[in-house]
């Protein structure tokens, strides 16, 4: 993943999502795993968090505070993922389960 070309993909996650590894794999303080807290990822790297309505920058970005807040306030923001990066469909999961076992 590190060697992939940067495509400026933005993803907003709930801080309760298992992908919230801020503070575990990164040097920043943890973002509390509360469903109302949000994370903004750019190309898979955390750049901002919204905790209790307050914005916290996690990395340098060209976005101003108002733009970050508007992105984080959305219920979900996920640009289409390539097939190999998305979760498998129910049918694909059944096929994969048969292959693995």
């Amino acid at each position: 993943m590190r060697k992939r070309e940067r495509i400026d993909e933005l993803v907003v996650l709930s801080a309760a999502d298992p992908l919230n590894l801020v503070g575990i794999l990164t040097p920043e303080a943890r973002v509390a795993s509360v469903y109302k807290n949000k994370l903004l990822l750019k190309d898979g790297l955390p750049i901002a968090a919204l905790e209790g309505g307050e914005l916290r920058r996690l990395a340098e970005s060209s976005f101003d505070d108002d733009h970050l807040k508007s992105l984080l306030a959305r219920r979900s923001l996920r640009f289409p993922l390539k097939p190999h990066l998305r979760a498998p469909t129910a049918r694909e999961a059944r096929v994969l389960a048969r292959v693995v076992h």
Side-chain angles (χ1 to χ4, degrees), residues 80-100:
L81 295 177
K82 294 182 176 30
H84 67 282
L85 297 177
R86 64 172 169 69
T89 64
R91 182 175 183 270
E92 291 169 338
R94 286 192 303 272
V95 170
L96 286 171
R98 277 188 262 143
V99 171
V100 172

Side-chain angles (χ1 to χ4, degrees), residues 3 9 11 15 17 32 34 39 45 49 52 54 56-57 59-60 63-64 67 70 76 82 85-86:
K3 295 179 182 178
E9 177 182 53
V11 176
D17 192 295
V34 176
L39 290 170
L45 299 174
E54 297 295 318
R56 179 165 57 124
R57 288 182 172 267
E60 291 292 321
F63 301 119
D64 62 21
H67 193 178
S70 70
S76 68
K82 294 182 176 30
L85 297 177
R86 64 172 169 69

Side-chain angles (χ1 to χ4, degrees), residues 19-69:
L19 289 175
N20 175 9
L21 299 175
V22 174
I24 295 172
L25 297 179
T26 62
E28 297 90 12
R30 291 267 303 137
V31 175
S33 186
V34 176
Y35 79 96
K36 287 188 176 186
N37 290 347
K38 303 283 184 165
L39 290 170
L40 177 63
L41 306 174
K42 183 177 179 183
D43 291 329
L45 299 174
I47 61 169
L50 194 63
E51 298 176 279
E54 297 295 318
L55 177 71
R56 179 165 57 124
R57 288 182 172 267
L58 303 171
E60 291 292 321
S61 74
S62 59
F63 301 119
D64 62 21
D65 287 356
D66 290 334
H67 193 178
L68 287 172
K69 283 182 182 179

